[in-house]
C-alpha cells in the first residue's frame, strides 16, 4: 500500500461533553522521550504522580495511582477487583453512566440492585439509605457527574450512609473531578476513579484511581498469584480477581515499594497524567473549581440569552456541561455540522431518551475559558439564525458577558 | 503541596528487551491536538490505522484495530472474548509470557493445558499436534517471541495443525512483530495481538489486534447487550463476555461502520499507533525485518567478541533481543547500574529461572541501528573491563563491525 501522509489534524475547539481540547502543556509533556520501566527516573515520576493525585482527589490514601487505559478501564478495575461473583451491589442510576456501572458489575457476576430516577434528576440520599437497608449491599457504586444528563449527584450524605451501614462506596468521578467540588476523605468515599479527558485537560487513555485502606486491604486479601501458579486451594482468600490486566492487587504491587513487574507502564500517558495534575495543583483545586463554575455560569446564561431551554435540574447541574433542548424545527445534527464545518467548533449530541432532543455543551479543562465560551456562543447564534431562530437583545454573548462583569 | 517541576527526562539509550527509545516521529505525532470522538477526521484516522495494521499483520482481516491499553490489554481482550468458562485451551509454554497466557486464560475460567519445554528452547510442532489431539482444545494460544528467553516460536506449522483439527489459533506477537517474519493469513493464525513498545518503535499503551472472520464471528455471536440490559435469557448466544472494557464484540462495533459508542478512544495513542505503522510500511515490512536481522546479528557477534556466552537455542533466537550469561564473579546489577549511570544505556535483567543469570540486550525499533549497537558494545566493554573481564582482539565493536562489513 501507499502509506497515508503525515498526521494533519484540523483545528477544533472541543466544546462537547469531552474529550476536550488538550492543554498544550500536556501535549508537550507527552512528547518527552521514554526511560526504562524501572529506571530511577521512572520510579520517581510514578511516585510524584501518586502524590499529585492525592492532592487532586483530596485524600491521604497511599494507594493512589493510574490504571493504564481509558476512564472505563479504571471503572472496571475498581469493580472487578472489589466485587466477587454473588456480591450485592447497589447503583443509584440517574443517567447512562450509572447504567454502565450496572452492566460492568453484572459482568463481574455481582447481584445488581438499582435506585433509579428520571434523567435530569439526582437521587435523594434517603432513597439510597432505604435501599441500602433493604439490599444490604457490599458496595454502593455511583457516578458523581453523569454527562448524559449533566447532573451532579451529591455525595457527602452517601458517604455517611455507607459508613453508618458498613458498606463500601465507589465513585466514578471521570466527568466531574477538577471542575466540581470533590472530597474523597472528607466524604468517606472508599474508591474513586477518573479520567484525564474532562476537567483535567488531558487526552483519554489514563485512569487515576484512589483506594481507602479498607478497600485496598479487601483487594489485597483476594487471591492473587504469580503467573502460571494456580491458587485454587487458597480458599480463604476469596475468589481470584477475574482480570489480570485490571487486577488492582497486582497493580498496587507494581506502583508500591516492591515494584513487582505487571504490564509495561504506558509512560507517555503517565507523563500526561502527571502534567494534568500539576496544572491543577499549580492553579489550586478550589481555584480550578471556581473557574469551571464561572465559565459554566457564563455558558448557562449565554444559552439562555440565545433563548434555549436548559434540560434538567439546574440546581444540581455539573459546572462543566449544560444540556439544552434543541428548538422545534431546528435540525440538531445540522446545527452541529455547521458549527464544525464553518467554525471548527464541536458541541455534543446525546444518547438514550435524550437522543436528538438536546445538545450538550461543555466548558471544561483547557476550554473553561472566557474566549472559548464567547466564541462558541457567537458561532451558535450565527448558526441558529441561519435556521430562522430569532435572537433578541444582547444574545448569548451579551448574557455571558454580564456574568463575567458581575 | 508544592507541585514538582516540569518533566525533565534524562537521556537514555534503551537497549533492553523493551520498552525501547521511541522514534522521534512517533513522539511528534503524539503531540498533535485532539479532535472529537466521532469527528470525520477521527473516523478517517481510525480507518487509515486499520488499513495500516492490515499491512503490518499481513492480513486481509476486516477486523484489524487497536485495543486501548498496553499489549497485555490486547492479550486479555483476545482471551476473554474468545474463551468461555469451561473451554479448553492449549498453551505451548517456553517462557514467562507463555505462562502469562495460561494465567489469563485460567482467570477467564478456561480449562488450561500446556506443552512445556525448558527455557531456551522452542516447542516442536509434533508435540503441539499430539497435545491438540489429546486435549481437543477450542483454542491454541501461543507467544511468537518470548523476551524472557529470546526464543522465537515457529508458527507456520502450528497454523496448519490448528486448521487441520479445526482449532482456533491465537498468537501474542508483542515482542516480535515488525522485527521477525510474521504472516497472519499465510500461516493461518486467527487472532494476533501486539504492542507498540518493541520493534514498532512506539511507547506502550496501545495494542493492535487482528481477527479472522471465523474468530470475529465467534465473538460477535456471544451475548453482548446495551448498557443496563441483561440478556441472560438469550442462552443460545453463549455466555456474556466477562469484561466490558475488553469486549471485542463491542469494540468491533465501535471501529466498524456503525460506530457504536464504547469507551472514549485514547486518541493520542491512536496517533502513535498510526505513526508506528506508517514508519514500518514506508520502510517495507521485509526491509524492517532485514534491518532487525542485521543489527541483531551484529549484536550477537558483538557480545561474542566480548567473550560473553549466549543463552538458549541461537537457531531459534528472535532477531531483536539476545540473552547473555553474566560472567562468573561479575555483579549483574552492578554492570547494569554502571551502564546507566556512566553511559545512559539501559540493558535488561531477567526473571524466573534466569533471574540474576543473564542480561538481555535488545536491538529493536528505532534502536535497531548501527550507532546504537556499537555504542552499547563499546560501553559494555568499558564496564566489563572495570570488573576485571579481559576482552581480546577487536572486542565487541570489532566483531559487530565485521558483520556490518560483510
Amino acid at each position: 500500500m501507499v502509506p497515508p501522509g503525515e498526521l494533519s489534524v484540523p483545528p477544533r475547539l472541543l466544546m462537547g461533553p469531552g474529550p476536550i481540547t488538550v492543554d498544550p502543556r500536556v501535549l508537550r509533556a507527552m512528547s518527552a522521550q521514554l526511560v526504562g520501566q524501572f529506571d530511577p527516573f521512572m520510579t520517581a515520576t510514578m511516585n510524584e504522580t501518586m502524590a499529585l493525585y492525592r492532592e487532586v482527589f483530596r485524600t491521604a490514601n497511599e494507594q493512589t495511582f493510574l490504571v493504564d487505559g481509558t476512564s472505563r478501564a479504571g471503572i472496571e478495575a475498581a469493580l472487578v477487583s472489589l466485587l466477587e461473583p454473588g456480591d450485592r451491589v447497589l447503583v443509584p442510576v440517574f443517567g447512562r453512566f450509572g447504567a454502565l456501572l450496572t452492566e460492568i458489575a453484572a459482568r463481574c457476576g455481582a447481584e445488581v440492585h438499582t435506585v433509579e430516577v428520571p434523567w435530569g434528576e439526582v437521587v435523594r440520599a434517603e432513597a439510597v439509605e432505604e435501599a441500602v437497608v433493604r439490599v444490604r449491599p457490599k458496595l454502593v457504586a455511583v457516578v458523581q457527574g453523569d454527562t448524559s444528563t449533566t447532573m451532579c449527584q451529591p455525595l457527602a450524605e452517601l458517604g455517611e450512609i455507607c459508613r453508618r451501614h458498613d458498606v463500601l462506596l465507589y465513585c466514578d468521578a471521570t466527568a466531574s473531578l477538577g471542575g466540581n467540588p470533590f472530597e474523597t476523605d472528607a466524604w468517606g468515599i472508599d474508591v474513586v476513579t477518573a479520567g484525564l479527558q474532562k476537567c483535567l485537560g488531558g487526552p483519554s487513555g489514563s485512569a487515576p484511581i484512589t483506594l481507602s485502606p479498607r478497600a485496598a486491604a479487601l483487594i489485597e486479601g483476594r487471591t492473587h498469584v504469580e503467573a502460571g501458579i494456580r491458587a485454587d486451594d487458597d480458599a480463604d482468600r476469596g475468589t481470584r480477581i477475574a482480570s489480570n490486566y485490571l487486577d488492582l492487587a497486582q497493580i498496587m504491587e507494581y506502583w508500591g515499594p516492591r515494584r513487582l513487574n505487571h504490564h509495561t507502564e504506558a509512560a507517555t500517558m503517565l507523563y500526561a497524567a502527571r502534567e494534568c495534575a500539576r496544572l491543577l495543583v499549580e492553579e489550586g483545586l478550589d481555584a480550578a473549581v471556581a473557574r469551571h463554575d464561572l465559565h459554566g455560569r457564563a455558558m448557562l446564561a449565554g444559552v439562555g440569552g440565545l433563548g434555549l431551554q436548559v434540560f434538567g435540574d439546574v440546581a444540581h447541574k455539573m459546572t462543566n456541561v449544560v444540556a439544552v433542548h434543541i428548538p422545534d424545527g431546528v435540525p440538531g445534527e445540522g446545527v452541529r455540522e455547521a458549527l464544525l464545518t464553518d467554525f471548527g467548533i464541536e458541541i455534543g449530541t446525546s444518547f438514550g431518551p435524550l437522543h436528538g432532543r438536546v445538545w450538550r455543551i461543555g466548558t471544561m479543562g483547557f476550554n473553561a475559558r472566557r474566549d472559548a465560551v464567547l466564541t462558541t456562543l457567537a458561532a451558535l447564534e450565527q448558526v441558529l439564525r441561519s435556521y430562522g431562530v430569532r435572537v433578541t437583545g444582547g444574545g448569548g454573548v451579551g448574557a455571558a458577558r454580564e456574568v463575567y462583569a458581575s
Side-chain angles (χ1 to χ4, degrees), chain A residues 230-305:
Chain A
R230 300 294 298 264
D232 291 340
D233 48 338
D234 210 350
D236 60 342
R237 301 187 68 199
T239 60
R240 176 151 56 170
I241 293 169
S243 172
N244 168 291
Y245 185 64
L246 300 172
D247 178 337
L248 290 177
Q250 292 194 345
I251 300 174
M252 286 190 283
E253 289 281 33
Y254 175 53
W255 285 77
R258 296 215 298 159
R259 300 274 163 207
L260 293 188
N261 190 51
H262 186 245
H263 61 284
T264 299
E265 183 62 15
T268 313
M269 294 308 310
L270 169 71
Y271 294 169
R274 178 185 181 277
E275 192 67 9
C276 287
R278 210 166 70 94
L279 281 159
L280 267 186
V281 172
E282 282 178 10
E283 179 178 12
L285 265 290
D286 291 337
V289 171
R291 173 169 57 84
H292 281 85
D293 180 63
L294 172 65
H295 298 294
R297 283 188 293 111
M299 185 61 86
L300 182 68
V303 293

Side-chain angles (χ1 to χ4, degrees), chain A residues 61-65 190-191 209-213 215-216 219 248 252:
Chain A
N61 290 338
E62 172 65 23
Q63 298 300 348
T64 303
F65 53 93
D190 290 285
V191 180
I209 187 169
T210 187
L211 298 101
S212 69
I219 292 168
L248 290 177
M252 286 190 283

Side-chain angles (χ1 to χ4, degrees), chain A residues 58-82:
Chain A
R58 301 227 174 176
T59 183
N61 290 338
E62 172 65 23
Q63 298 300 348
T64 303
F65 53 93
L66 307 176
V67 173
D68 268 348
T70 73
S71 43
R72 187 175 291 219
I75 297 170
E76 187 162 316
L79 294 182
V80 77
S81 299
L82 287 166

Side-chain angles (χ1 to χ4, degrees), chain A residues 26-114:
Chain A
V26 178
L27 293 177
R28 283 206 303 279
M30 294 182 85
S31 71
Q33 188 50 270
L34 302 197
V35 299
Q37 155 107 309
F38 298 99
D39 192 290
F41 178 81
M42 183 73 177
T43 304
T45 302
M46 290 169 79
N47 288 344
E48 276 176 3
T49 304
M50 294 174 87
L52 281 161
Y53 278 93
R54 286 186 199 108
E55 290 281 311
V56 172
F57 282 122
R58 301 227 174 176
T59 183
N61 290 338
E62 172 65 23
Q63 298 300 348
T64 303
F65 53 93
L66 307 176
V67 173
D68 268 348
T70 73
S71 43
R72 187 175 291 219
I75 297 170
E76 187 162 316
L79 294 182
V80 77
S81 299
L82 287 166
L83 293 173
E84 302 194 36
D87 280 345
R88 285 186 298 280
V89 59
L90 176 69
V91 184
V93 176
F94 56 99
R96 182 171 193 269
F97 290 95
L100 177 65
L101 297 185
T102 70
E103 197 223 297
I104 295 174
R107 295 207 200 202
C108 296
E111 183 185 311
V112 181
H113 299 261
T114 60

Side-chain angles (χ1 to χ4, degrees), chain A residues 192-215:
Chain A
V192 188
T193 64
L196 307 184
Q197 75 274 17
K198 310 281 183 175
C199 303
L200 272 67
S204 175
S206 178
I209 187 169
T210 187
L211 298 101
S212 69
R214 72 172 183 169

